[in-house]
Amino acid sequence: MAVSFATVSTFISPQTASFSGKTSSALILLHPTNVRMVRTVIQATASKTDTGSRKPRGIMKPRRVSPEMQALVGVPEIPRTEVLKQIWAYIKEHNLQDPDNKRVIVCDEKLKKIFGQRPRWIS
């Protein structure tokens, strides 16, 4: 049950509640618990990020690739995100998408080695 300030002020007499910096116990007991305290932002500063010295992690970290994948992308170590970009560039460059359903990839010999000898792959 939420109590409005007008209701609280009728229960607390001015002698009981001292607003000179001290809080009375009656005021604390009658204060509703679902009210959020709001902090005023005086000055906002942007946090300093040092992106230059941080090593790549997760999917941005270069990983070793298989010899079949290396024949397609051309490097022994590459991040996963770059591998996907290069595979899609290869597919679009060689027009290997099915014209009726663009989600289906028609594999050539290089892609068959990567996708497990399947003639078609659904992305």
Side-chain angles (χ1 to χ4, degrees), residues 28-88:
I28 292 172
L29 293 175
L30 294 176
H31 192 275
T33 58
N34 60 354
V35 175
R36 269 198 248 172
M37 299 301 287
V38 179
R39 186 186 325 175
T40 305
V41 177
I42 296 171
Q43 181 180 5
T45 58
S47 62
K48 295 179 182 178
T49 57
D50 191 19
T51 57
S53 64
R54 186 169 138 183
K55 292 183 179 180
R57 309 183 274 191
I59 62 172
M60 297 300 292
K61 186 175 182 179
R63 301 283 183 181
R64 289 198 154 279
V65 294
S66 66
E68 296 84 14
M69 183 72 74
Q70 189 174 353
L72 183 70
V73 296
V75 291
E77 289 187 355
I78 189 169
R80 290 181 230 171
T81 54
E82 290 298 317
V83 168
L84 287 174
K85 286 180 186 178
Q86 289 188 13
I87 288 174
W88 274 108

Side-chain angles (χ1 to χ4, degrees), residues 4 9 11 13 15 18 34 44-45 48 51 55 62-64 67-68 73 87 91 94-95 97 99 101 113-114 116 123:
S4 67
S9 64
F11 290 123
S13 66
Q15 294 84 15
S18 170
N34 60 354
T45 58
K48 295 179 182 178
T51 57
K55 292 183 179 180
R63 301 283 183 181
R64 289 198 154 279
E68 296 84 14
V73 296
I87 288 174
I91 290 169
H94 291 88
N95 198 18
Q97 285 180 299
N101 186 358
K113 291 177 184 177
I114 295 172
S123 60

Side-chain angles (χ1 to χ4, degrees), residues 2 6 10 12 19 21 26 28 35 37 42-43 45 50 56 62 69 74-75 83 92-93 96 108 110-111 121-122:
T10 59
I12 302 171
F19 293 106
I28 292 172
V35 175
M37 299 301 287
I42 296 171
Q43 181 180 5
T45 58
D50 191 19
M69 183 72 74
V75 291
V83 168
K92 290 182 180 185
E93 180 182 323
L96 296 176
D108 63 352
K110 283 186 178 181
L111 290 179
W121 181 265
I122 298 176

